[in-house]
Amino acid sequence: MHVSAAEFRKNFFQILGQVEQTQEVVVITKRGKPVARLVSVDTGGKKDPLIGALAGLGRTKGDLTEPVVEAAVWELD
């Protein structure tokens, strides 16, 4: 869908709502030439992309409930 800049300014909220509902791309033109494109944001169905982003990437080595045994003894000067 192509919309002139003047029409876009006049009907901004209506066009914004239409893009959100239909996922349609709106090309904004100035004097017949395209200058901008309005697209809906793709969230992939997730509310927050950071939550769970690293799930399954780490591994546990050994038993986390056992005390840590240090092989070296620390010396103070």
Side-chain angles (χ1 to χ4, degrees):
M1 170 176 168
H2 286 75
V3 177
S4 70
E7 183 181 344
F8 179 72
R9 186 180 320 137
K10 182 178 167 183
N11 301 315
F12 173 75
F13 289 108
Q14 180 184 358
I15 294 171
L16 196 62
Q18 182 181 353
V19 168
E20 181 183 22
Q21 289 178 357
T22 64
Q23 307 293 314
E24 183 181 4
V25 176
V26 174
V27 177
I28 303 165
T29 61
K30 189 172 183 180
R31 297 188 183 113
K33 295 182 182 180
V35 293
R37 188 173 17 178
L38 179 64
V39 296
S40 180
V41 175
D42 179 25
T43 60
K46 292 184 178 181
K47 296 277 184 185
D48 188 355
L50 294 178
I51 296 176
L54 299 176
L57 295 179
R59 283 184 262 167
T60 303
K61 186 174 181 179
D63 186 6
L64 295 177
T65 60
E66 291 183 15
V68 177
V69 179
E70 299 213 11
V73 177
W74 293 89
E75 293 182 18
L76 296 176
D77 289 334

